């Protein structure tokens, strides 16, 4: 069975600090996809990134970066120079391919609070 | 291009009442999903559909029913509402199942009293 663990329930930092959100996953699939979604206080789910299991290159998008390590089954998310607008709940999620259509397995989320 | 839309945004039901949550997507996606999000928890899959006329149960299907008569619409029906169904419901769609990004609607906040 698939599982996604986000051990950090809540993180609070002061603006401009760097912060890393951890995500550890479990799957028996050899091909799978990992996602990060942001849920701001308004409640919608905003897609941030998708990464397939064959691509272990780290990715950077502006102040956001992602570190995928297959050896430790982790897909961590770092925000550099955090801003108040980054305050949200962040979800890591896992799906599998091979024709599988049974949705995503989500972690419980990390509530990130950026204090001014 | 509105993406995924859901109605209503909020609803209060009494125990035992029924209702249908509407979901429509205009991206011509084959795959559609219903999730529920309970406080402090991640999303859990209720039902999904791989195309018109085809639906299947997810992790938490009890108390719900779905239908998919068109590519665009995927309504979720609650029969005999119970307080345990108080949650935020999200509909999502994707083009290629697990290999593609799922795009979510804005959610429906349901309270059962």
């Amino acid at each position: 069975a698939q599982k996604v663990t986000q051990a950090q329930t809540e993180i609070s930092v002061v603006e401009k600090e760097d912060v890393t959100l951890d995500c550890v996953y479990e799957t028996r699939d050899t091909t799978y996809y990992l996602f990060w979604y942001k849920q701001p206080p308004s409640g919608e789910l905003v897609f941030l990134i998708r990464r397939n299991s064959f691509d272990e290159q780290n990715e950077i998008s502006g102040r956001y970066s992602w570190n995928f390590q297959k050896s430790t089954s982790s897909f961590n998310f770092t925000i550099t120079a955090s801003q108040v607008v980054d305050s949200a709940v962040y979800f890591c999620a896992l799906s599998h391919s091979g024709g599988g259509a049974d949705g995503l397995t989500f972690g419980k989320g990390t509530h990130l609070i950026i204090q001014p | 291009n509105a993406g995924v839309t859901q109605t209503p945004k909020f609803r209060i039901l009494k125990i035992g009442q029924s209702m249908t949550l509407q979901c429509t997507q205009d991206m011509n996606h084959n795959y559609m999903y219903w999730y529920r999000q309970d406080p402090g928890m991640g999303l859990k899959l209720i039902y999904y559909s791989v195309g018109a006329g085809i639906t299947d149960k997810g992790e938490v299907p009890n108390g719900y029913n779905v239908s998919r008569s068109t590519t665009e619409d995927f309504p979720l029906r609650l029969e005999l509402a119970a307080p345990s169904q108080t949650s935020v419901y999200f509909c999502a769609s994707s083009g290629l199942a697990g290999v593609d990004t799922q795009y979510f609607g804005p959610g429906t906040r349901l309270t059962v009293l």
Side-chain angles (χ1 to χ4, degrees), chain A residues 33 37 39 43 45 47 50 91 95-97 100-104 106-108, chain B residues 31 33 35 37 40-43 45 48 50 90 97-102 104:
Chain A
Y33 289 76
Y37 284 86
Q39 187 175 44
L45 283 157
F47 165 74
R50 178 186 69 174
F91 291 99
S95 75
H96 62 272
S97 65
D102 51 350
L104 300 176
F106 281 82
K108 291 184 179 181
Chain B
Y31 298 89
Y33 307 86
Y35 294 88
Q37 182 182 20
M41 302 292 288
L43 281 69
L45 185 67
Y48 65 95
V50 302
F90 288 97
V99 309
D100 198 7
T101 299
Q102 290 190 14
F104 286 82

Side-chain angles (χ1 to χ4, degrees), chain A residues 49-60 65-70 75:
Chain A
I49 190 171
R50 178 186 69 174
R51 176 53 52 88
N52 76 57
S53 53
F54 296 108
D55 183 2
E56 290 195 67
Q57 270 195 324
N58 291 334
E59 182 151 343
I60 297 175
S65 62
W66 290 268
N67 179 255
F68 176 34
Q69 292 197 337
K70 215 168 176 178
F75 186 42

Side-chain angles (χ1 to χ4, degrees), chain B residues 28-79:
Chain B
N28 201 31
H29 284 168
N30 285 323
Y31 298 89
M32 295 188 73
Y33 307 86
W34 275 106
Y35 294 88
R36 60 176 286 172
Q37 182 182 20
D38 298 324
M41 302 292 288
L43 281 69
K44 292 189 177 179
L45 185 67
I46 305 172
Y47 270 95
Y48 65 95
S49 170
V50 302
I54 307 171
T55 63
D56 207 346
K57 296 178 181 179
E59 185 182 354
V60 290
N62 291 343
Y64 307 94
N65 278 300
V66 294
S67 60
R68 184 97 181 270
S69 57
T70 66
T71 300
E72 295 78 21
D73 300 308
F74 190 39
L76 177 72
R77 177 103 180 136
L78 279 72
E79 304 282 2

